[in-house]
Amino acid sequence: MVMLAATLSSSPDDSKCVGATIIAREREQAPDEFLQQPFNRWIAFWRMGWEVALQLVPGEDVAVDLALYLTEDVVFHDSAFHFLLTRGGAYQILVCTPTTNPEDPMVLEINWALRRFMPPGERISGQNAPVRARYLVVSRGELLMVVRFTTGANQPTSMFKVFRETKRPKMPDGGDFPVAVYPWEWSEMDTLDGRVLFVGYGCSRSYQADEDKYPGFKPGIYFLDDGVFCEALMVGDANTRPYPCRDNGMWSESEGRIQRCFPPPNSSDYSPPVWLFP
């Protein structure tokens, strides 16, 4: 089993702390065959001290088949875990709200709901700019989706776009995407408005550019080389596997270009760099 992304609801010292993760593991029906498709992922939850996590299995009241979606990122926001589900031009959010009993560490209930978004179309999946990754970021009380583009397969990051989760205005239903069925949409932001974003699966953060607190930081997006996220399981020779570590840097909003911030080694026996937050 490999944990692809994980986050916590609060400090692990909190008796109500719940963890959520996106995992990949062996096929149950074919023990000798490992997962090769990125769509085969699972969502799981646990409380501090648990030896076994609880796998999420949506009930009939949630019309979503997780096997048909790529579960790409998770963030804790507004007392709930938000999972980004993607499939072609569909970008949905699965909201999972944990309920715990501080006096009983074995109790954990998960209530879930699916937020259906109007497909954003070519604003995200343009033919000339393949999508490398998508991240969820909580910023100023809002949920943002940061989309990372490249110029082609196996090419470095070329640009970013940022979208805000918004409710669609009330209007008469019609067309292919009626509001009653798709009440949410991703609204593209034309500016970061002073934000400094650090993106990474399960750990993205948003800060305000402030010369007094963070001298030298300009509005932009800092990113690391996490391209192995969508690959098959790391098994067998995982300890000696060469990892790509070139695609690290910062996308500057004012200049509209990528600045490489770290040395670009060809490969490494260690996993790519990660963000460490206090």
Side-chain angles (χ1 to χ4, degrees):
M1 182 182 73
V2 175
M3 297 177 65
L4 303 176
T7 192
L8 300 177
S9 63
S10 59
S11 168
D13 297 330
D14 184 354
S15 61
K16 296 182 179 180
C17 178
V18 176
T21 183
I22 303 169
I23 63 173
R25 57 182 172 83
E26 296 179 73
R27 296 181 189 271
E28 294 182 351
Q29 64 272 28
D32 296 330
E33 181 181 4
F34 292 100
L35 303 181
Q36 299 297 324
Q37 300 298 326
F39 293 93
N40 294 305
R41 296 180 182 174
W42 285 261
I43 294 173
F45 302 90
W46 74 93
R47 294 188 65 178
M48 296 300 107
W50 280 19
E51 295 183 358
V52 179
L54 173 67
Q55 179 181 333
L56 175 68
V57 180
E60 297 180 354
D61 55 331
V62 179
V64 58
D65 186 349
L66 295 180
L68 300 179
Y69 283 86
L70 176 69
T71 306
E72 191 156 356
D73 200 9
V74 57
V75 70
F76 191 74
H77 172 55
D78 278 348
S79 302
F81 293 101
H82 292 62
F83 291 88
L84 177 61
L85 310 180
T86 64
R87 181 189 180 191
Y91 294 72
Q92 320 293 8
I93 293 291
L94 184 65
V95 182
C96 299
T97 305
T99 301
T100 62
N101 182 349
E103 298 180 356
D104 189 346
M106 300 307 296
V107 173
L108 174 61
E109 296 182 359
I110 303 295
N111 297 313
W112 50 76
L114 181 68
R115 291 183 182 175
R116 302 192 67 187
F117 287 73
M118 182 179 70
E122 291 299 316
R123 290 179 299 159
I124 292 182
S125 55
Q127 293 182 352
N128 297 325
V131 174
R132 166 71 178 273
R134 309 164 188 86
Y135 308 93
L136 294 179
V137 189
V138 177
S139 178
R140 301 176 187 175
E142 298 178 310
L143 185 63
L144 308 182
M145 179 175 64
V146 177
V147 183
R148 178 175 175 177
F149 297 89
T150 69
T151 56
N154 300 319
Q155 296 299 309
T157 300
S158 59
M159 61 176 290
F160 286 85
K161 288 186 178 182
V162 182
F163 298 81
R164 176 187 288 114
E165 176 192 67
T166 58
K167 284 190 174 183
R168 297 176 65 188
K170 298 292 184 181
M171 61 181 67
D173 287 337
D176 295 330
F177 309 109
V179 178
V181 180
Y182 300 90
W184 298 83
E185 66 180 346
W186 294 108
S187 301
E188 184 174 353
M189 299 170 57
D190 56 6
T191 176
L192 292 177
D193 191 22
R195 293 176 173 88
V196 180
L197 304 180
F198 292 81
V199 293
Y201 292 113
C203 62
S204 298
R205 296 291 189 276
S206 172
Y207 299 93
Q208 186 69 23
D210 187 325
E211 283 296 331
D212 294 331
K213 295 180 62 177
Y214 312 112
F217 281 83
K218 306 293 184 182
I221 300 174
Y222 288 81
F223 60 95
L224 299 175
D225 196 335
D226 51 18
V228 296
F229 181 82
C230 290
E231 293 186 5
L233 294 181
M234 302 297 178
V235 295
D237 61 346
N239 292 331
T240 59
R241 181 188 180 99
Y243 290 89
C245 296
R246 293 182 176 183
D247 199 11
N248 309 295
M250 180 260 195
W251 177 79
S252 171
E253 180 182 43
S254 59
E255 301 179 14
R257 66 181 182 89
I258 300 294
Q259 301 175 16
R260 302 297 164 181
C261 299
F262 309 102
N266 292 330
S267 63
S268 172
D269 290 340
Y270 299 92
S271 59
V274 297
W275 302 121
L276 295 178
F277 297 101

